[in-house]
């Protein structure tokens, strides 16, 4: 038996290790779709909607019939007595006779039906539960938008570091080849030592950048995995290309998108806040309304000197009662008035915040469009700069090995090329990120 358990445990560990090593492959859209289901923040936002739905029913149920039951059993260890005037039984006036009015044991069972007939706070509560559900649903949409943007940013960062690694590795190989060639030329006395030193300086800086990008690459993969809702050490593979994504995310139509802020999720959330504050005003006012409720109950009681309540000979006595309760608030020393005024002030603040949200959203949309347009224009500029930098570097390299230009000129051209390469990569990422930012503000979840 022990050997079987060891074998099963070993198989479990092997399966777990294998499952963890299985690579996960995603295009950008697949990553977005996956995160909108498995991201932990998204899942909690969905749970908040479930809570709101349950709370809505909880509030509704308070106005529906409520049935309760109770069983009461009493056993007098020392029975209570009452004193009766002695003259009732012919005794001396002024004397008292101790009397036990109830048997030593008694039991009673009752069932009560309560029904709320009218309560102003209940009506407001039903409206509030509906608004609370809307708030939770809008919060879920807001979360989805933010997670979509986060996935795009994280996915783009991984592609950026991947491309940077490829470029830096290629540059490093070229520099090492140049250094090897110049070193031999120097050893043969046909080149100055400064030329070797200039190449070494450039190579040293390049290797430092390469090591840094390697570390950033690991971190960017981990950040993407966390955003997707999977283990951060999962071996994730990306199938999209940075340049292709940049072209896909280049859309002049987005610059002409509808700027009606009333359709944005941030505006709807601000509207929810106004609605909730308005309900607080109604709730404060409802405290001045009467409350009407009714009940009916029925039950049975039994008595005896000994515990024989389950015997056929035990006599049970039934009872039933119907009642109506009306509670009318009359005077609260202006307490209800003060509460209502506080609620009205909060409502005024919420209305001001709604106007401010509208203005802020218009500004954010204009800013996002401007930055997105700049990113598109900057991409074309950086692409042209890269072509020029490559041509300049090639010319200077040819001139250097022909002895026409100095090693300092070559190093300047190489540094300019490396900078142009990174700026070009960053310009592609900027297009993707700025488009994602604009979509998030406009609440475009599927663009």
């Amino acid at each position: 038996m022990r050997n079987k358990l060891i074998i099963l445990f070993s198989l479990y560990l092997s399966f777990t290790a294998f499952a963890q090593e299985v690579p996960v492959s995603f295009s950008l859209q697949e990553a977005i779709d996956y995160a909108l289901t498995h991201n932990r923040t998204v899942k909690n936002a969905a749970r908040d909607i479930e809570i709101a739905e349950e709370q809505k029913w909880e509030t509704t149920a308070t106005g529906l019939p409520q049935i309760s039951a109770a069983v009461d059993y009493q056993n007098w260890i020392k029975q209570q007595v009452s004193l009766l005037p002695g003259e009732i039984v012919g005794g001396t006036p002024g004397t008292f006779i101790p009397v036990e009015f109830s048997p030593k044991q008694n039991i009673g069972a009752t069932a009560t039906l309560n029904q709320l007939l009218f309560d102003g706070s209940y009506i407001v509560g039903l409206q509030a539960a509906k608004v609370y559900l809307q708030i939770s649903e809008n919060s879920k949409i807001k979360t989805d938008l933010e997670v979509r943007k986060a996935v795009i940013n994280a996915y783009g960062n991984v592609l950026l570091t991947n491309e940077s690694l490829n470029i830096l590795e290629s540059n490093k190989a070229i520099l090492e080849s140049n250094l090897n060639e110049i070193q031999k030329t120097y050893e043969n006395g046909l080149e100055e030592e400064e030329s070797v030193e200039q190449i070494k300086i450039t190579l040293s800086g390049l290797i430092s950048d390469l090591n840094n990008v390697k570390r950033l690459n690991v971190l960017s993969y981990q950040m993407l995995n966390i955003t997707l809702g999977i283990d951060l050490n999962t071996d994730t593979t990306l199938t999209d290309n940075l340049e292709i994504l940049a072209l896909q995310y280049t859309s002049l139509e987005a610059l002409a998108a509808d700027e009606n802020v009333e359709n944005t999720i941030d505006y709807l959330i601000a509207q929810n806040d106004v609605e909730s504050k308005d309900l607080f005003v109604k709730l404060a006012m409802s405290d001045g309304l009467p409350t009407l409720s009714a009940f009916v109950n029925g039950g049975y009681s039994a008595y005896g000197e000994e515990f024989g309540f389950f015997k056929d000979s035990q006599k049970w006595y039934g009872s039933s009662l119907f009642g109506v309760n009306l509670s009318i608030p009359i005077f609260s020393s202006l307490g209800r008035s003060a509460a209502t005024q506080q609620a009205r002030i909060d409502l005024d603040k919420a209305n001001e915040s709604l106007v401010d949200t509208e203005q802020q959203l218009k500004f954010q949309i204009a800013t996002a469009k401007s930055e997105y347009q700049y990113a598109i224009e900057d991409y074309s500029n950086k692409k042209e700069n890269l072509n020029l930098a490559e041509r300049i570097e090639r010319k200077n390299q040819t001139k250097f090995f022909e002895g026409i230009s100095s090693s300092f000129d070559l190093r300047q051209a190489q540094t300019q090329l490396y900078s142009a390469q990174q700026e070009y990569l960053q310009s592609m990422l900027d297009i993707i990120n700025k488009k994602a930012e604009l979509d998030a503000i406009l609440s475009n979840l599927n663009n």
Side-chain angles (χ1 to χ4, degrees):
M1 181 65 181
R2 184 172 179 272
N3 291 335
K4 289 182 178 179
L5 289 174
I6 293 175
I7 293 172
L8 288 173
F9 185 70
S10 300
L11 288 173
Y12 171 76
L13 290 179
S14 300
F15 174 79
T16 303
F18 175 77
Q20 290 176 345
E21 293 173 0
V22 175
V24 183
S25 178
F26 292 105
S27 67
L28 177 55
Q29 189 56 52
E30 288 170 344
I32 292 172
D33 294 339
Y34 186 91
L36 291 179
T37 302
H38 297 88
N39 178 274
R40 296 173 183 86
T41 305
V42 168
K43 290 195 287 187
N44 282 338
R47 292 186 179 105
D48 287 338
I49 293 178
E50 295 176 4
I51 292 173
E53 289 173 343
E54 296 297 332
Q55 190 171 41
K56 182 181 178 182
W57 176 248
E58 179 187 5
T59 303
T60 303
T62 59
L64 300 179
Q66 309 288 315
I67 299 176
S68 60
V71 177
D72 181 32
Y73 168 72
Q74 294 180 349
N75 186 338
W76 290 99
I77 298 175
K78 179 65 176 177
Q79 280 188 279
Q80 185 180 12
V81 299
S82 298
L83 298 179
L84 295 179
E87 56 263 34
I88 291 180
V89 293
T92 304
T95 61
F96 296 92
I97 301 174
V99 179
E100 297 175 354
F101 278 103
S102 64
K104 185 176 182 181
Q105 300 189 46
N106 63 79
I107 189 172
T110 60
T112 304
L113 170 65
N114 289 286
Q115 176 61 58
L116 182 66
L117 301 178
F118 177 80
D119 188 343
S121 62
Y122 173 69
I123 298 174
V124 176
L126 290 178
Q127 296 173 335
K130 182 179 179 181
V131 171
Y132 179 61
L133 179 58
Q134 291 175 350
I135 291 173
S136 299
E137 291 171 342
N138 286 335
S139 179
K140 172 64 164 58
I141 295 173
K142 176 70 173 178
T143 299
D144 288 349
L145 288 166
E146 291 299 322
V147 167
R148 177 184 182 274
K149 184 174 71 172
V151 170
I152 293 172
N153 291 341
Y155 196 100
N157 284 332
V158 173
L159 293 181
L160 177 66
T161 55
N162 285 343
E163 293 288 345
S164 295
L165 282 175
N166 292 335
I167 290 174
L168 290 170
E169 291 282 7
S170 175
N171 292 341
K172 177 173 173 285
I174 293 172
L175 271 180
E176 286 175 341
S177 176
N178 290 344
L179 178 61
N180 184 52
E181 187 175 347
I182 294 173
Q183 183 75 37
K184 290 179 180 179
T185 306
Y186 167 70
E187 290 173 355
N188 292 328
L190 299 176
E191 188 60 72
E192 295 181 1
E193 185 179 10
E194 180 184 346
S195 299
V196 178
E197 292 172 342
Q198 289 284 4
I199 295 287
K200 286 184 176 180
I201 292 173
T202 306
L203 181 59
S204 174
L206 192 62
I207 292 174
S208 178
D209 291 340
L210 178 60
N211 291 334
N212 183 52
V213 172
K214 285 180 179 178
R215 292 189 294 269
L216 291 176
N217 185 249
V218 174
L219 294 175
S220 62
Y221 269 107
Q222 291 180 339
M223 187 68 247
L224 175 61
N225 290 340
I226 291 174
T227 308
L228 292 176
I230 58 181
D231 186 86
L232 81 163
N233 293 317
T234 301
D235 185 8
T236 308
T237 302
L238 308 190
T239 60
D240 275 330
N241 175 274
L242 183 62
E243 187 169 10
I244 293 175
L245 280 180
L247 294 175
Q248 291 176 349
Y249 273 66
T250 301
S251 170
L252 297 179
E253 294 179 359
L255 298 173
D258 183 14
E259 296 185 7
N260 184 8
V261 298
E262 293 181 2
N263 296 328
T264 64
I265 193 62
D266 289 319
Y267 186 85
L268 294 176
I269 290 174
Q271 259 189 340
N272 288 151
D273 187 47
V274 172
E275 292 173 2
S276 64
K277 294 301 191 297
D278 183 55
L279 289 173
F280 276 114
V281 174
K282 293 179 180 179
L283 180 62
M285 295 175 65
S286 70
D287 288 342
L289 299 176
T291 301
L292 180 64
S293 62
F295 73 92
V296 60
N297 69 17
Y300 286 89
S301 301
Y303 307 91
E305 291 298 326
E306 296 180 355
F307 192 92
F309 299 112
F310 298 110
K311 294 180 180 179
D312 293 338
S313 59
Q314 176 66 52
K315 297 185 79 173
W316 290 83
Y317 303 93
S319 63
S320 183
L321 178 66
F322 169 76
V324 177
N325 179 272
L326 176 64
S327 176
I328 304 174
I330 296 176
F331 182 63
S332 67
S333 298
L334 300 179
R336 286 191 298 270
S337 176
T340 302
Q341 290 304 315
Q342 291 179 56
R344 289 187 186 279
I345 293 171
D346 279 339
L347 176 59
D348 291 338
K349 290 170 62 178
N351 279 314
E352 289 291 347
S353 296
L354 179 63
V355 175
D356 184 64
T357 298
E358 180 181 7
Q359 297 300 309
Q360 290 289 341
L361 283 170
K362 289 180 178 179
F363 176 75
Q364 290 174 16
I365 292 172
T367 302
K369 283 186 175 182
S370 175
E371 292 178 350
Y372 178 53
Q373 185 171 8
Y374 173 76
I376 295 174
E377 296 168 352
D378 191 53
Y379 167 71
S380 299
N381 181 47
K382 292 299 190 292
K383 187 174 183 179
E384 180 64 25
N385 289 347
L386 176 60
N387 291 332
L388 293 173
E390 287 174 344
R391 288 167 54 190
I392 292 171
E393 195 274 341
R394 282 196 301 269
K395 289 179 181 178
N396 276 273
Q397 189 167 168
T398 302
K399 290 179 181 180
F400 173 74
F401 284 106
E402 290 178 353
I404 301 175
S405 64
S406 67
S407 59
F408 181 78
D409 293 332
L410 176 60
R411 183 171 183 273
Q412 261 193 327
Q414 289 172 333
T415 304
Q416 181 176 256
L417 173 61
Y418 302 157
S419 177
Q421 289 169 338
Q422 294 303 316
E423 288 175 358
Y424 175 63
L425 293 178
Q426 185 62 48
S427 70
M428 290 189 288
L429 182 61
D430 286 344
I431 288 179
I432 298 170
N433 288 344
K434 295 303 180 184
K435 177 63 163 55
E437 179 69 27
L438 179 59
D439 287 341
I441 296 173
L442 293 173
S443 303
N444 294 329
L445 188 58
N446 299 316
N447 286 1

